[in-house]
């Protein structure tokens, strides 16, 4: 894989919410490509590059747990925020948490670990001094030191992701024996199509020998 990176991530819990669940949160069986992209971008991203997720290896046995979480029933509308900015006041920006608190159940993943294989492409915002080698070196240096713009998370902010850069020559990580047989994971969110009004794009995911191959975004199907 030319100009690619391999990243080992793990965490105690994860929640990659299925969009079809309206009230209670239910996680996908594994990390989604969009969540994987978010982790990589949290380490290093610039307008000059676009990250592409190629493959994901699932290392640990897929296990679920159930918890209850406090959430708020409403949020401040974007229109109120724009109006307050124009007026220069805080009018309309008050949201009383105590009055809108709700307790909801969530089906989450526990003890997760993945290997993300990804590469990046230069965008039309790349300048003359930008090169693939330059950005690759910056990413590798930051990942080795554990640096990030913001703490990567496993779906939601309360579940942080620990990450380690996998270098050339590092031994291959093995998947749990339960992941060796091929398994259909159903329709999974691939990513948002930012060029088409942030349309959600889905693909039919399957896992074989612990690996999930991710199709290129322009060619994924949209679930109906």
């Amino acid at each position: 894989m030319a100009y690619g990176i391999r990243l080992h991530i793990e965490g105690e819990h994860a929640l990659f919410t299925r969009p079809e669940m309206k009230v209670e949160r239910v996680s996908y069986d594994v990390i989604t490509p969009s969540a994987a992209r978010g982790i990589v971008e949290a380490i290093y991203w610039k307008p000059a590059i676009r990250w592409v997720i190629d493959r994901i290896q699932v290392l640990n046995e897929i296990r679920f747990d159930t918890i209850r979480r406090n959430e708020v029933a409403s949020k401040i509308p974007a229109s109120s925020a724009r109006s307050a900015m124009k007026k220069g006041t805080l009018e309309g920006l008050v949201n009383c948490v105590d009055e809108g608190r709700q307790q909801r159940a969530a089906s989450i993943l526990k003890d997760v670990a993945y290997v993300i294989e990804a590469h990046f492409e230069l965008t039309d915002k790349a300048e003359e001094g930008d090169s693939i080698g330059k950005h690759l070196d910056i990413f590798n240096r930051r990942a080795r030191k554990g640096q990030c713009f913001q703490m990567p998370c496993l779906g939601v902010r309360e579940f942080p992701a620990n990450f380690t850069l996998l270098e050339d020559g590092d031994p291959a990580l093995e998947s749990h024996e339960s992941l060796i047989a091929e398994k259909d994971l159903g329709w999974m969110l691939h990513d948002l199509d930012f060029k088409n009004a942030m349309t959600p794009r889905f693909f039919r995911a399957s896992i074989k020998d612990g690996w999930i191959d991710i199709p290129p975004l322009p060619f994924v199907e949209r679930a109906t």
Side-chain angles (χ1 to χ4, degrees):
M1 182 178 58
Y3 303 109
I5 60 99
R6 294 191 304 140
L7 200 66
H8 176 218
I9 62 172
E10 58 184 352
E12 294 182 2
H13 297 97
L15 175 55
F16 310 109
T17 307
R18 290 181 174 271
E20 65 268 27
M21 303 302 179
K22 301 300 183 181
V23 179
E24 310 295 348
R25 294 182 183 271
V26 178
S27 177
Y28 282 109
D29 290 5
V30 298
I31 187 174
T32 62
S34 59
R37 175 181 58 79
I39 290 174
V40 176
E41 288 182 346
I43 299 172
Y44 180 70
W45 176 85
K46 293 290 183 181
I49 64 174
R50 180 178 71 88
W51 283 102
V52 178
I53 306 300
D54 299 308
R55 294 200 303 169
I56 296 173
Q57 182 184 12
V58 185
L59 298 175
N60 292 354
E61 181 183 10
I62 299 173
R63 296 188 298 162
F64 285 87
D65 198 2
T66 301
I67 62 172
R68 300 194 72 85
R69 307 162 68 243
N70 287 326
E71 298 185 8
V72 292
S74 62
K75 60 182 180 181
I76 298 174
S79 58
S80 298
R82 287 193 294 267
S83 176
M85 291 173 63
K86 291 179 180 179
K87 296 179 180 178
T89 66
L90 297 179
E91 182 181 352
L93 297 183
V94 177
N95 191 4
C96 187
V97 176
D98 291 337
E99 295 178 0
R101 182 183 290 119
Q102 293 182 344
Q103 194 173 73
R104 295 180 178 177
S107 180
I108 66 173
L109 296 168
K110 59 186 299 185
D111 189 23
V112 299
Y114 307 101
V115 172
I116 299 173
E117 289 190 357
H119 72 278
F120 62 85
E121 302 168 349
L122 295 179
T123 69
D124 55 4
K125 295 184 179 180
E127 300 179 352
E128 185 176 352
D130 287 311
S131 68
I132 291 179
K134 167 190 170 182
H135 290 289
L136 181 62
D137 288 342
I138 295 174
F139 177 89
N140 288 338
R141 184 170 62 251
R142 291 176 61 84
R144 288 189 192 104
K145 295 180 179 180
Q147 296 176 333
C148 51
F149 293 125
Q150 58 188 12
M151 188 63 193
C153 65
L154 294 164
V156 291
R157 293 295 179 194
E158 64 238 59
F159 299 150
N162 301 314
F163 63 89
T164 305
L165 180 68
L166 297 178
E167 309 269 10
D168 293 338
D170 286 347
L173 300 176
E174 296 184 358
S175 299
H176 188 268
E177 59 183 10
S178 64
L179 304 170
I180 301 305
E182 186 171 3
K183 178 183 178 181
D184 182 11
L185 299 175
W187 287 103
M188 177 180 289
L189 176 67
H190 186 297
D191 213 323
L192 298 178
D193 190 345
F194 294 98
K195 293 184 178 180
N196 293 285
M198 297 185 66
T199 303
R201 301 293 182 180
F202 297 81
F203 74 109
R204 192 78 184 195
S206 63
I207 185 171
K208 183 178 181 180
D209 296 331
W211 287 93
I212 303 171
D213 292 320
I214 311 300
L217 183 57
F219 303 103
V220 298
E221 302 176 57
R222 188 177 182 186
T224 56

